[in-house]
Amino acid sequence: MKLVQSLSAILVIGTATVQAQPQPDPQPAIRVTSDTTEFCDHLSRYFARISAGHHTVPAASRALADEGGRLCAQGLIRAGISRLRMALYRLRPNR
Amino acid sequence: MPDAAGGETAADAAAGDAVADAAGGGAAGKPAGIDRPGRLARWRRWNRAAPSPVAEEEVPAPNFLRSAAVRFGVIYAALFGISAIALAAFLWWSTAGLLERQTDAAILTDSLGLTERFAEGGPKALVETINDRVLGNVDDDALYLLVDSASQRVAGNLESWPLRMAMDEDWDELRIERAGVASLARIHYFELPGGFRLLIGRDVELRSQLRVMMADAMFWAAVIALILGTIGAWAVRGLFRSTIADVSATAMAVSAGDFTRRVRIAGHEDEFDLLAETINDMLDRISSLMDGVRQVSNAIAHDLRTPITRARTRLEDAAIHATTEAELRAAVDRAMLDLDGVVSVFQALLRIAEIEAGARRSAFAPFDLAPLLTDLAELYDAAAEERGVRFQTSIPATLPSFGDRDMVQQAVANLLDNALKFSPADTTVQLTASLTPGGIAIVVADQGPGIPPEDRNRAAERFFRGESARSTPGSGLGLALVQAVAHLHGGSLNLDDGAPGLHAVLTLAGRIKPEAPRSITIASK
C-alpha cells in the first residue's frame, strides 16, 4: 500500500512540475516596436528609397515588397514585415 | 549384522528417528538461536502454494522489503529508471540544450559586433548599426534596445527598458508582446561608456514551446517507464519467487523429515537447474549417510546383543548351578572373554570413525612401505604354512610412501587375515606391491570362495558379512577399516573376482609431500 501511495505522489509531483511554465518577471510585457504597422510602412518606404538607387530591381524582390505591403494592409503585420525584409535582403549586392 | 528378514524393530525406529533428528535438525534437535518456526512461517507466506508440514503459528507480518524477490524487483526497476533518466537527459542536452546554447552564442556574437561599432564610431554608429540590423532581421527574432543614462530610448525595437532586471546576472528572460501576442525573449545586458545601456535579445518563444513539448513528452515517457519498470519488477519478483519456491518447499519437507523429496529440474540447463541438481546430489548424499548410520546402529544392536546375552546367561547359569569357586571363576572368565569381544568391536568402530574423521592425518610421515610388507609377509607366511596354504610375495626393494605407517600395516594385515581365513588348504595367497601411476597398489589375492558380485559393493560396509562368512569368526569390520585407511591416504579399496577367490587391491595415493617449512629471510644491512 505504501508503494502505491509513493508512486501516486511521484506522479502528482511530476505532473505539477511539467505543467508549471517558466515564470518570468511579473512586470508587464514590453512591446516590440518592429511588429507594428508603422514599422511596416517604414520598411516599405525604405525599400522604395533603396530600390530607387538601383538601375534594375529584381522582379522577385519587388514582388516580395508588394506582397509584404499588402499583408501589412490586411493586418498580417509580422508576415508582411517578413516579406519586406526578404525583399530588402534580395536587393543587397553581395547577397 | 543387518536384519534383512526381520524388518525394523521399535528400537531401530527409535534409533533411526533419533539419528534423523540429530542430523536433520528436527523439532527435538532445534538448534539454538534459529527461529525455525518463524522462518518457515515466512516461507509459507511467500509460498502459499506449498503447504507446510509444520503447524500454523501466529507470527508478525514480514517486512515487505525483507523479501529477496522484492529487492530484486526494486533493483530491476531502479536500473530501468536510471537508464530512462540517462536517455532523457541526453536527449534534452542534444535538443533543447543545443538550441539554448545556439541562441546564447548568437547573442554574444551580435553583442561583440555592436560594442566594436560603439568603440569605433560612438553612439551614432551604434544607432545606425542597430537600425540596420532591425531592418535586415530576416529571421524576425532579433531584439535590441539602446538607452541613454536617463533610460530614454535611443534605438532598437523594444519600447522601453525593463522595469526590473536581474542585475546580478547578465542574462535574463523577458516577457514581450509581438503584434499583440505574448512571447518570451532571452536577453543579454551591457553597460557602455557614457551611461549608455544596451540590451540584445532573441525571441525564444518557439524554443520555449519546444521545451515544454519535450518536457511533456519526457514526463509521459517517464510515466510509461515507471509503469513498465513496475510491471517488469513485478515479473522479476514473480519469476524469482517461482524459481525458488520448489527449492524452499523441498527444503521445508526435508527439514520436516521427508528425505524422499527432491527439487524439480526444469530442464533449462541454466544456473537454477545446476543449483537444483547440486541440492538433489546433496540430499542424496545426506540420505545415503543417514541410511548408513541407521544401518550401523541396527548392526551394533544386533551383533552385540548376542555376546552380551551369552555372557549374561553364563553368569546366571553359574550363579544358579555352580557349586565350587572354580566353576564360578571359569564362568566369569568365559563371560569376560565374551565382553572382551564386545569391547574389541567398539574399539574397531572407534578406530574407523577416527580414521574417517581424518584425526590420524597428523601422524602422517614418510616411510618405506617395502620393509613393512616384507615383515608382514614373514609373519603371515608362518600362519599360512600352519593352514597348508602357500604364500607368495612380490615386493619391490623400496616403496617410498607418506602416511600413517601403523594404519597401513593394520589395513594390509586385515586383508591378509581375510585371505588366509577363507583360503582352503593347498591353495595360494599372493601379496604383491607395485608403483602405479595412481600411487602404490597392494594386491592380496586368494583362491577362496571370494565375494559374490552382488555383495562386493557392500563388503566394505561396517558389519556386512556375506553368506559364506557367516560361519567364520569375525565382526564384519575388517574391510571397513581397510577402506577407511585407503580413503585417509587418498586411495581406494577395490574388490575384484580372482577367478577363483578374491582379488583385493588397496591403492594408496602417490607419495604425498608434506608442507615445506616456511623460511624467512631477513635482509641484513
Side-chain angles (χ1 to χ4, degrees), chain B residues 164-222:
Chain B
R164 184 172 65 82
M165 284 187 63
M167 299 305 288
D168 54 337
E169 295 178 6
D170 293 340
W171 296 91
D172 202 355
E173 288 195 337
L174 181 69
R175 287 202 303 153
I176 55 175
E177 181 192 320
R178 303 197 62 176
V181 179
S183 189
L184 188 69
R186 173 103 172 136
I187 57 173
H188 194 28
Y189 161 80
F190 300 92
E191 285 190 351
L192 299 174
F196 290 100
R197 286 179 291 166
L198 177 61
L199 188 149
I200 302 173
R202 289 290 184 276
D203 183 351
V204 292
E205 180 62 22
L206 287 177
R207 194 201 71 192
S208 175
Q209 289 175 4
L210 175 66
R211 191 169 60 181
V212 171
M213 285 171 59
M214 286 192 63
D216 277 344
M218 285 186 181
F219 169 72
W220 289 113

Side-chain angles (χ1 to χ4, degrees), chain A residues 18 27 30 32-33 35 85, chain B residues 134 140 157 163 177-178 216:
Chain A
V18 168
Q27 65 185 347
I30 297 175
V32 177
T33 56
D35 293 328
R85 279 174 168 156
Chain B
V134 170
D140 194 27
N157 58 348
L163 293 176
E177 181 192 320
R178 303 197 62 176
D216 277 344

Side-chain angles (χ1 to χ4, degrees), chain B residues 88 133 170 198 208 305 321 345 356 366 452 454 463 466 496 500 525:
Chain B
R133 292 193 178 183
D170 293 340
L198 177 61
S208 175
R305 185 170 57 186
H321 299 105
V345 167
E356 288 182 341
E454 63 271 17
F463 296 107
D496 301 323
K525 290 182 180 178

